[in-house]
Amino acid sequence: MRILVVDDDPTMLRVVQHTLLETNQYDVVTASSGEEALQIAQEALPAMIISDYYMPKMNGFALCQKVKSHPQLFDTIFLLLTSAQGVEHKVQGLNIGADDYLVKPFNTDELVSKVAALLRIKALQEQSKQQAAELKEANQQLEESFAGVVDLLTTLIGIHVPDASIRAERAAAIARWIGERLKFDPTTLKALEIAAHLHEIGKVQLLDTVLRKDTHELTDLERTSVSQFPVLGQYLVERIPQLKTVALFLRPQIENFDGTWYAFRIMKKEIPFPSRV
């Protein structure tokens, strides 16, 4: 898979390029400015763009916005490199379309792990196009029943993830009970209930050996892989137009209210209300 690395610092550009090339898994091209990167991206159509934030003229945010609004590049994975530590800055990057961020200075192993995880998402996106066609046919057989689609997805999760069906039923019942008492409107309440049913869908990409381990038995690499399941869940679910709202509830589902968990370090009201439920 082709990766475009963008940084106006020649040393950092070489470090990232060399680190990725050492894996012998990627075709890596580089650009030293946002303007050059956009031109190369339109020609090379990379699977991923890794861009520094602090660049003259067109910074990382501006480049991300142009990429995500481009008809040929909108589904390109965008990893933002930034030295900013503030949560607000990171959330802003995610809100404009960045798929993830990495804080400088970073460990090269962390970079490789993050890139691999995001490109698994890219592969799942491509697979989901095929799955979408299959799901459309399944939907027709279910007489376009929306409830049937959710039931199908829940069943698929249950087949792959141990005891997921039981947890899904309990989660949906509890989420609906809370939502009713918080006076959620009917549309949000229904989306919340569906999100609870599908909250473990991102785990379908995990190996059975990982799924069956207790948390304390996981290796660091396995724990990193497991921590990505809400992101993968969002990418899988949002491919179904009727479930886009549900997908937004899935991504921050394992955040702690005080921002101490892994994933995106967002906290308090930055976490969507249904995700907190």
Side-chain angles (χ1 to χ4, degrees), residues 6-9 12-13 16 50-55 80-85 90 101-107 110:
V6 192
D7 202 313
D8 62 329
D9 180 347
M12 180 59 67
L13 197 64
V16 176
I50 302 174
S51 174
D52 183 32
Y53 168 70
Y54 292 105
M55 296 186 294
L80 196 63
L81 303 180
T82 176
S83 57
Q85 299 292 330
K90 298 168 186 175
Y101 65 86
L102 196 60
V103 177
K104 293 180 178 180
F106 52 82
N107 181 282
E110 183 184 10

Side-chain angles (χ1 to χ4, degrees), residues 257-270:
F257 194 66
D258 62 0
T260 57
W261 200 236
Y262 37 57
F264 307 109
R265 305 285 183 185
I266 59 176
M267 60 193 298
K268 299 183 179 179
K269 291 185 178 181
E270 294 169 348

Side-chain angles (χ1 to χ4, degrees), residues 52 55 81 95 110 114 127 141 158 176-177 179-180 200 236 260:
D52 183 32
M55 296 186 294
L81 303 180
N95 286 340
E110 183 184 10
K114 183 89 69 175
Q127 292 174 16
Q141 294 172 355
R176 184 171 186 86
W177 187 89
E180 287 173 346
E200 293 189 76
L236 289 172
T260 57

Side-chain angles (χ1 to χ4, degrees), residues 129-189:
K129 294 177 183 178
Q130 176 63 31
Q131 292 169 349
E134 296 171 358
L135 187 58
K136 182 178 180 180
E137 183 179 347
N139 287 345
Q140 292 172 348
Q141 294 172 355
L142 291 168
E143 299 178 341
E144 302 297 327
S145 169
F146 183 63
V149 173
V150 175
D151 183 62
L152 172 62
L153 293 175
T154 305
T155 301
L156 290 174
I157 300 167
I159 291 173
H160 187 69
V161 183
D163 300 324
S165 297
I166 297 172
R167 290 193 296 273
E169 289 298 328
R170 290 176 178 171
I174 294 170
R176 184 171 186 86
W177 187 89
I178 295 173
E180 287 173 346
R181 279 147 188 80
L182 293 174
K183 299 186 180 348
F184 280 11
D185 65 83
T187 301
T188 303
L189 186 62

Side-chain angles (χ1 to χ4, degrees), residues 17 19 42 78 86 141 168 180 222 238 241 255:
Q17 181 185 32
T19 299
Q42 292 175 96
F78 200 99
Q141 294 172 355
E180 287 173 346
E222 289 170 341
E238 72 181 3
E255 295 295 338

